[in-house]
Amino acid sequence: MVGSSCPMGFAGKVLKVNLSSREIKIEDLPREAIRFIGGSGLATWFISKMVDPLIDPLNEKNVIVFCVGPVTGTSIPMSSRYVVASKSPLNGTLGDADAGGFWGPELKSAGFDAILVTGKSTKPVFLWICDGEAELKDARDLWGLDHQKTEEEVKRICGDCRLLSIGPAGENLVKFSVISNDGGRIAGRSGLGAVLGSKGLKAIVVKGEQRYSPTQDIVDLAKEIIGYLLERDGIKRLSKFGTGSFLENHLARGNLPLKNWGQDEWSEESAKRISSNRLSNWVKMKMGACKYCPVGCEKRIEYDGVEEKGPEYETIAALGSLCLVDDPMTIIKANRACNLLGIDTIETGTLMAFLMECFERKILSQEKVGVSLYWGSGDSFPELVEMIAFRHGFGNILAEGLKRAAELIGGDAPNFAMHVKGAPICMHDPRVQQDKGLNYATLPSGAYHGKGGSNFVGLPRSESLAGELVKRQNFAEIIDSLVMCSFAFEFWAGGLPVDFIPRILKTVSGLDLKLDDLDRIGGEIFGMKVAFARKSLGRDKIGDPLPERFKKVPRVRGGIAFTFQAENLLEEYYKCRSS
């Protein structure tokens, strides 16, 4: 199956699926595309070539792309992710998302680097891929099922396999619906579940039989990396608790979001109650891992006799502290509803906090919304999640996403919608982390915690915050193109020096690229996303200010009032980007 013109590490094949004509083609991976490595780079290259930036994201002419990278499916640790990209229904720019688990390696094992889906099916279908072959199968009996039931039914039909799917929210074109794989691994940002829903594609099911035999060089490098990672305190914490542990530390630093970003302090005991390290006080908990990952940061929880993916930091903060909710079971139940029905927990929590503020300010009422909302109580969250997923009542407005929902509500409501380009502010406070603020302001797809990183060990230093961020954004694109987990390189987690990236790439693919080369290629990938955003948004510069609240409501630490104003940094950022 390996294309003769492709380096090792690549399957060398692209699967093209036209749902309108039901035509399926297998083509060689274009040699020119390998310049962008794989994953995010490859997906961005395909979207840039194939999608009109002005098209309606839910039009059948939109394209959705799934890509793995040269590291995917190898024994290099923390390398079992995939990337999905399309024009985003949430904000109209080039949107992407990624997830771990086992689906990505299975696609590689089945013989493909990428899947390109175009058109629209007249009836629900799922795509079945097995050992270099593919066909479309009837999914009418799957339509309407939640993620868990979909996975159970597909495995009953297809046997041992890996699948990704959409839930009812994706089917109903909720603008922040997600794609789920492997029992709750979520490709959550950009609303790409709605793109699959618009095309009538319920699931992509993969079975690969190609056996992988790593070279001795790969085995040796994998051992070296594992040895390094397992000595790190951050990795030890992730292995024991996953993300979201010791939230009282986030609170002390002023980094924990509170009351729709409008409050500075909260009870330390409240933060402790919802921390991951206390989850086992409430439910049965164990840790799971992606394929070839020695860390195992995935929380698997069990309550009411059901095992499922537990809430991560972003979810805990969004559905918890952002809404002043300190009841762990409330967060767990809301997380379950989101994961089963297929909507993004970050957007959901931000919406709930927004609604709470609208209730507090008398902009909305129980009569208008259908449920009552107030700070500290999340009892109505599961009901609202269901209303959103099925577009029932007021849920039809909320299903449009935070930005559009605020505009439809009208009046002062948009002032309390905390987003950039329609993407909600992620759960890291830009007032005390100025680099996060500038990152949120400048990413082509809006606020996103997974792009730009917190800090990468060994990255060449710059004289300015803007210069530092440009390099981090570039290297984040490279990591997402390999495709590897960014936790491997984050200073607080794996702390793997970026010098390992050229070594990894050369060992698995033979591609000999230096750090400067990778910086340049990452910048080109980022630049393609910027070019798409410029055209889709109809403007030259894509940097945006953050909501006024971050300028006017400070976080006070050590007697210093921290605020954030992106306008002070944008010109320097543009200079660094153009140099």
Side-chain angles (χ1 to χ4, degrees):
M1 285 299 302
V2 177
S4 59
S5 63
C6 284
M8 62 179 184
F10 294 87
K13 297 292 180 181
V14 176
L15 183 66
K16 292 186 174 181
V17 181
N18 186 318
L19 294 171
S20 298
S21 66
R22 298 182 68 88
E23 182 180 26
I24 295 176
K25 292 182 179 179
I26 298 173
E27 298 182 357
D28 288 341
L29 178 67
R31 181 75 190 190
E32 59 182 313
I34 296 173
R35 169 177 175 75
F36 300 107
I37 300 173
S40 178
L42 184 58
T44 300
W45 183 80
F46 277 124
I47 295 295
S48 296
K49 289 177 68 68
M50 298 177 69
V51 177
D52 179 354
L54 299 179
I55 199 172
D56 184 332
L58 301 181
N59 186 289
E60 65 182 82
K61 293 183 179 179
N62 193 14
V63 182
I64 187 164
V65 180
F66 297 84
C67 290
V68 294
V71 181
T72 309
T74 71
S75 54
I76 297 294
M78 306 181 80
S79 63
S80 295
R81 306 185 72 79
Y82 70 91
V83 169
V84 54
S86 187
K87 183 173 182 183
S88 167
L90 188 63
N91 55 25
T93 64
L94 194 160
D96 61 8
D98 58 275
F102 293 79
W103 188 89
E106 196 77 9
L107 179 65
K108 188 77 158 290
S109 179
F112 297 101
D113 295 301
I115 305 170
L116 280 57
V117 181
T118 61
K120 178 179 181 179
S121 178
T122 56
K123 63 181 181 181
V125 294
F126 72 86
L127 178 62
W128 166 245
I129 303 170
C130 183
D131 282 340
E133 303 292 336
E135 63 177 306
L136 293 168
K137 291 181 175 288
D138 194 328
R140 283 176 290 185
D141 290 342
L142 301 176
W143 207 253
L145 298 184
D146 64 35
H147 283 291
Q148 187 177 58
K149 290 178 181 176
T150 299
E151 186 158 342
E152 290 171 356
E153 183 63 13
V154 167
K155 289 187 174 181
R156 185 190 67 80
I157 297 168
C158 299
D160 184 29
C161 62
R162 297 291 177 179
L163 70 141
L164 56 77
S165 65
I166 58 171
E171 298 168 2
N172 293 314
L173 310 184
V174 173
K175 299 295 176 61
F176 50 102
S177 53
V178 305
I179 297 168
S180 176
N181 60 279
D182 296 311
R185 293 287 184 167
I186 306 293
R189 307 314 306 277
S190 304
L192 302 185
V195 178
L196 287 185
S198 72
K199 295 182 176 301
L201 184 59
K202 177 66 173 179
I204 300 179
V205 187
V206 183
K207 185 175 179 63
E209 294 288 353
Q210 296 186 24
R211 299 180 66 86
Y212 172 67
S213 298
T215 65
Q216 189 60 48
D217 286 345
I218 292 176
V219 171
D220 292 342
L221 181 56
K223 287 181 179 178
E224 182 181 352
I225 292 172
I226 290 170
Y228 186 97
L229 294 174
L230 295 184
E231 291 298 316
R232 298 277 298 183
D233 289 341
I235 291 296
K236 292 175 183 176
R237 181 192 291 188
L238 283 171
S239 296
K240 188 173 182 180
F241 302 117
T243 61
S245 61
F246 303 103
L247 260 66
E248 63 272 24
N249 294 344
H250 288 267
L251 177 66
R253 295 198 305 269
N255 191 42
L256 191 66
L258 302 172
K259 201 179 182 184
N260 201 25
W261 301 100
Q263 184 168 304
D264 188 31
E265 292 289 357
W266 200 34
S267 158
E268 182 178 321
E269 183 53 37
S270 289
K272 285 181 178 180
R273 277 172 57 84
I274 60 175
S275 289
S276 292
N277 43 305
R278 288 200 178 184
L279 271 183
S280 59
N281 293 345
W282 304 88
V283 292
K284 292 182 180 179
M285 189 179 90
K286 62 183 180 181
M287 304 305 293
C290 298
K291 193 171 187 178
Y292 300 127
C293 182
V295 179
C297 71
E298 180 191 25
K299 290 185 289 290
R300 303 297 301 180
I301 64 172
E302 181 184 335
Y303 81 98
D304 288 346
V306 177
E307 182 184 304
E308 63 190 19
K309 177 81 161 53
E312 303 296 344
Y313 169 74
E314 297 289 326
T315 300
I316 293 170
L319 295 168
S321 62
L322 190 68
C323 302
L324 299 185
V325 170
D326 67 354
D327 176 18
M329 290 308 300
T330 295
I331 297 169
I332 287 169
K333 290 174 183 177
N335 179 65
R336 169 179 282 187
C338 289
N339 286 351
L340 286 178
L341 298 176
I343 62 175
D344 179 36
T345 56
I346 297 175
E347 179 99 26
T348 300
T350 305
L351 262 176
M352 299 306 170
F354 161 76
L355 291 173
M356 287 174 171
E357 184 154 0
C358 287
F359 268 73
E360 182 181 46
R361 296 176 182 272
K362 312 299 183 185
I363 297 170
L364 291 173
S365 64
Q366 183 173 352
E367 181 181 12
K368 177 75 172 178
V369 177
V371 299
S372 179
L373 283 159
Y374 55 92
W375 298 113
S377 173
D379 292 345
S380 60
F381 286 179
E383 183 178 354
L384 271 167
V385 168
E386 186 168 336
M387 289 169 61
I388 292 168
F390 292 97
R391 287 185 173 268
H392 291 162
F394 198 76
N396 190 47
I397 291 175
L398 301 179
E400 292 299 300
L402 177 67
K403 179 178 182 291
R404 181 61 179 150
E407 292 169 349
L408 291 170
I409 293 166
D412 290 335
N415 296 331
F416 314 120
M418 301 295 112
H419 68 86
V420 177
K421 296 185 182 72
I425 301 294
C426 301
M427 304 298 114
H428 306 269
D429 199 316
R431 289 165 291 197
V432 296
Q433 290 186 287
Q434 300 274 306
D435 55 338
K436 289 287 188 186
L438 185 57
N439 197 36
Y440 295 161
T442 56
L443 287 172
S445 55
Y448 193 169
H449 66 291
K451 299 286 185 180
S454 298
N455 203 345
F456 299 135
V457 176
L459 203 62
R461 306 297 299 176
S462 175
E463 294 181 359
S464 68
L465 183 149
E468 292 278 342
L469 181 63
V470 165
K471 287 189 175 296
R472 276 168 37 192
Q473 288 174 336
N474 291 351
F475 273 88
E477 293 295 345
I478 295 299
I479 292 166
D480 286 349
S481 297
L482 283 172
V483 185
M484 288 187 70
C485 177
S486 65
F487 285 0
F489 300 95
E490 297 275 12
F491 80 99
W492 60 270
L496 200 65
V498 294
D499 288 345
F500 272 89
I501 298 178
R503 290 181 59 195
I504 292 169
L505 190 57
K506 186 171 183 179
T507 303
V508 301
S509 71
L511 297 176
D512 190 4
L513 296 169
K514 309 303 181 188
L515 282 178
D516 286 347
D517 299 324
L518 295 172
D519 183 27
R520 183 175 63 255
I521 294 168
E524 290 182 41
I525 296 167
F526 192 90
M528 286 191 284
K529 294 179 178 181
V530 169
F532 193 99
R534 283 174 175 163
K535 292 178 182 178
S536 62
L537 298 175
R539 62 194 218 218
D540 181 48
K541 293 183 177 180
I542 65 161
D544 284 297
L546 270 60
E548 287 287 310
R549 179 157 292 173
F550 296 98
K551 299 179 188 177
K552 296 180 177 179
V553 180
R555 296 298 289 263
V556 180
R557 290 297 177 274
I560 301 174
F562 292 93
T563 58
F564 180 78
Q565 188 163 331
E567 296 88 328
N568 297 336
L569 298 167
L570 283 175
E571 286 307 314
E572 177 65 22
Y573 176 86
Y574 295 140
K575 289 178 184 177
C576 293
R577 268 281 164 220
S578 61
S579 61

